[in-house]
Amino acid sequence: MLDEAQAIKNPGAKQTKSVKRLKAETRIALTGTPIENRLGDLWSIFDFINPGLLGSSKEFSAFVKRLADRPHNPYGPLRELVRPYILRRLKTDKSIIADLPDKTEVKTFCPLSRKQAALYQQAVAELAGHLEEVNGIKRRGIVLALLMRLKQICNHPSQWLGDGAWNEEDSGKLVRLRDIAEVVAARQEKALIFTQFKETTAPLVAFLGSVFGRPGLVLHGETEVKKRKDLVRQFQEDEDVPFFVLSVKAGGTGLNLTAASHVIHFDRWWNPAVENQATDRAFRIGQTKNVLVHKFVCRGTVEEKIDHMIESKKQLAGDFLSGGADILLTEMKDEELLRLVTLDLGAAMKEGNE
């Protein structure tokens, strides 16, 4: 039996190949996210539990492509094919869990500081120049690097510049984080703060420590595995620990952190399944408090535009299991890509969270 079976979504990975060599009379896969990015994730899991049911990877890809062209209920035939092999349970189903409290998700819109806006516009201008000169794999690399750079600038100029300053006034996200943290502190509640960047965890811990007036905890990919249980136990049991900063990749699965009633996504993973798994560190069986989830979005930037895409991407798993679109930004035409990343300066400098 596999737990967290999405770990074998990549059929070419060494761990996937090793798992599929295991001998067993019966195979069971447990996962909350059978589809993280594309329907091929589902094929890899089924290749483990019922090899041959969905054909070869190449046959499955061709089948899914044909289904996508159907005008109505495109993925219905695939859904019917796998239905007998899937037992789906939702925490929101009161017949399954009657006493789980509510979860409320809100978008927390953040303005850009002048420094952020200037760096952002400079990055987009550089991209526009590069796109005229490159193509193929080199273009793909430049686009991915640009998207990462824009994410870093939206978090804080110091993350991109590497100057170590991390001044609060230079980042709209830090200003908004203070607003939320002060409310959490006044209520004597606890918060989880997720970021995809290891280099962001230490500045966030220092900043939040100054807001709460007490130190919190941090967990990222370099945190020793043997220490992680102790960190979880400390957060769960020690009332004087007000917050926990975690990198999404290291702390987004497998941890029980129900002492928190606030979850803050400081930056976005751009994958709903990964974000939901991180949120579910707090919103899970055993939680007794309502959970408020804040998803930070910088107005007028690529963050806001991709946030709209995330909403549509949720349908890939949701519609299929109850398929969808996987937008490959690197495959956009130049003009489409530039429209996506170009800064709306008026929106970016707008104060308020309405």
Side-chain angles (χ1 to χ4, degrees), residues 6 29-39 41-43 45-46 49 54 60 73-90 273 276-277 313-324:
Q6 71 278 2
L30 303 177
T31 175
T33 52
I35 302 170
E36 282 194 340
N37 290 305
R38 50 186 62 84
L39 287 173
D41 299 350
L42 187 72
W43 178 86
I45 294 174
F46 266 85
I49 61 174
L54 300 183
F60 180 75
N73 189 23
Y75 297 103
L78 177 57
R79 188 161 50 242
E80 293 304 313
L81 179 61
V82 301
R83 189 191 299 277
Y85 305 94
I86 294 179
L87 178 63
R88 192 180 190 210
R89 291 293 181 259
L90 299 175
N276 289 340
Q277 278 207 328
K313 190 175 179 180
K314 286 178 182 176
Q315 297 175 8
L316 177 57
D319 288 356
F320 173 73
L321 292 172
S322 37

Side-chain angles (χ1 to χ4, degrees), residues 38-218:
R38 50 186 62 84
L39 287 173
D41 299 350
L42 187 72
W43 178 86
S44 188
I45 294 174
F46 266 85
D47 189 49
F48 166 75
I49 61 174
N50 201 331
L53 178 70
L54 300 183
S56 66
S57 178
K58 188 175 181 180
E59 290 169 338
F60 180 75
S61 295
F63 175 52
V64 167
K65 189 173 182 179
R66 290 197 301 272
L67 293 182
D69 294 332
R70 286 161 47 100
H72 304 293
N73 189 23
Y75 297 103
L78 177 57
R79 188 161 50 242
E80 293 304 313
L81 179 61
V82 301
R83 189 191 299 277
Y85 305 94
I86 294 179
L87 178 63
R88 192 180 190 210
R89 291 293 181 259
L90 299 175
K91 288 180 295 187
T92 50
D93 185 343
K94 296 299 182 182
S95 68
I96 304 297
I97 307 171
D99 58 351
L100 194 67
D102 292 330
K103 176 182 71 172
T104 302
E105 296 189 355
V106 297
K107 301 288 171 57
T108 299
F109 292 103
C110 309
L112 293 185
S113 68
R114 292 184 179 277
K115 191 171 185 178
Q116 284 176 299
L119 288 170
Y120 189 105
Q121 289 179 308
Q122 179 184 351
V124 173
E126 289 181 16
L127 173 68
H130 287 311
L131 289 178
E132 296 177 358
E133 304 169 358
V134 298
N135 52 41
I137 192 69
K138 190 170 183 180
R139 180 187 184 278
R140 180 182 176 88
I142 287 174
V143 172
L144 290 174
L146 181 277
L147 292 171
M148 185 65 67
R149 177 177 173 182
L150 295 182
K151 278 188 178 185
Q152 294 171 326
I153 292 169
C154 286
N155 277 358
H156 197 292
S158 291
Q159 186 178 349
W160 165 246
L161 297 173
D163 58 14
W166 291 85
N167 296 317
E168 179 179 347
E169 63 273 14
D170 286 338
S171 168
K173 285 188 178 182
L174 282 191
V175 172
R176 196 70 74 223
L177 183 58
R178 174 180 290 278
D179 294 339
I180 295 170
E182 287 177 345
V183 172
V184 176
R187 294 178 177 175
Q188 296 184 311
E189 295 173 340
K190 294 192 175 198
L192 305 179
I193 299 87
F194 286 100
T195 174
Q196 65 185 278
F197 300 101
K198 173 189 169 292
E199 67 267 23
T200 308
T201 56
L204 286 178
V205 168
F207 177 75
L208 288 165
S210 68
V211 177
F212 281 95
R214 304 194 306 277
L217 302 174
V218 61

Side-chain angles (χ1 to χ4, degrees), residues 7-22:
I8 64 165
K9 67 183 180 183
N10 181 359
K14 287 184 179 179
Q15 66 177 3
T16 304
K17 293 178 179 178
S18 297
V19 165
K20 291 182 180 180
R21 285 196 294 267
L22 296 173

Side-chain angles (χ1 to χ4, degrees), residues 163-351:
D163 58 14
W166 291 85
N167 296 317
E168 179 179 347
E169 63 273 14
D170 286 338
S171 168
K173 285 188 178 182
L174 282 191
V175 172
R176 196 70 74 223
L177 183 58
R178 174 180 290 278
D179 294 339
I180 295 170
E182 287 177 345
V183 172
V184 176
R187 294 178 177 175
Q188 296 184 311
E189 295 173 340
K190 294 192 175 198
L192 305 179
I193 299 87
F194 286 100
T195 174
Q196 65 185 278
F197 300 101
K198 173 189 169 292
E199 67 267 23
T200 308
T201 56
L204 286 178
V205 168
F207 177 75
L208 288 165
S210 68
V211 177
F212 281 95
R214 304 194 306 277
L217 302 174
V218 61
L219 187 154
H220 49 67
E222 295 182 8
T223 304
E224 293 181 39
V225 174
K226 62 183 180 181
K227 289 184 177 180
R228 297 185 184 191
K229 286 186 178 179
D230 291 335
L231 290 172
V232 170
R233 183 166 54 249
Q234 186 179 356
F235 184 76
Q236 290 288 89
E237 298 176 1
D238 189 342
E239 294 183 0
D240 288 333
V241 178
F243 66 88
F244 203 159
V245 176
L246 308 102
S247 68
V248 175
K249 212 158 190 178
T253 58
L255 303 181
N256 184 352
L257 299 169
T258 52
S261 54
H262 297 264
V263 177
I264 300 168
H265 292 278
F266 189 74
D267 45 62
R268 308 295 298 281
W269 192 263
W270 294 350
N271 182 320
V274 173
E275 286 191 344
N276 289 340
Q277 278 207 328
T279 296
D280 286 351
R281 298 315 95 215
F283 187 67
R284 58 195 300 111
I285 297 172
Q287 178 59 270
T288 60
K289 303 174 289 294
N290 291 338
V291 176
L292 182 57
V293 184
H294 303 267
K295 296 183 175 182
F296 280 18
V297 179
C298 282
R299 287 189 183 278
T301 71
V302 66
E303 285 194 339
E304 185 172 26
K305 295 167 187 174
I306 290 185
D307 179 64
H308 294 308
M309 295 181 181
I310 288 175
E311 296 303 323
S312 64
K313 190 175 179 180
K314 286 178 182 176
Q315 297 175 8
L316 177 57
D319 288 356
F320 173 73
L321 292 172
S322 37
D326 182 23
I327 299 170
L328 298 176
L329 303 181
T330 58
E331 295 183 3
M332 283 183 171
K333 295 179 181 178
D334 290 355
E335 57 271 20
E336 292 176 320
L337 180 62
L338 289 172
R339 276 199 302 270
L340 181 74
V341 301
T342 295
L343 182 65
D344 180 343
L345 190 58
M349 306 299 287
K350 183 178 180 181
E351 292 290 342

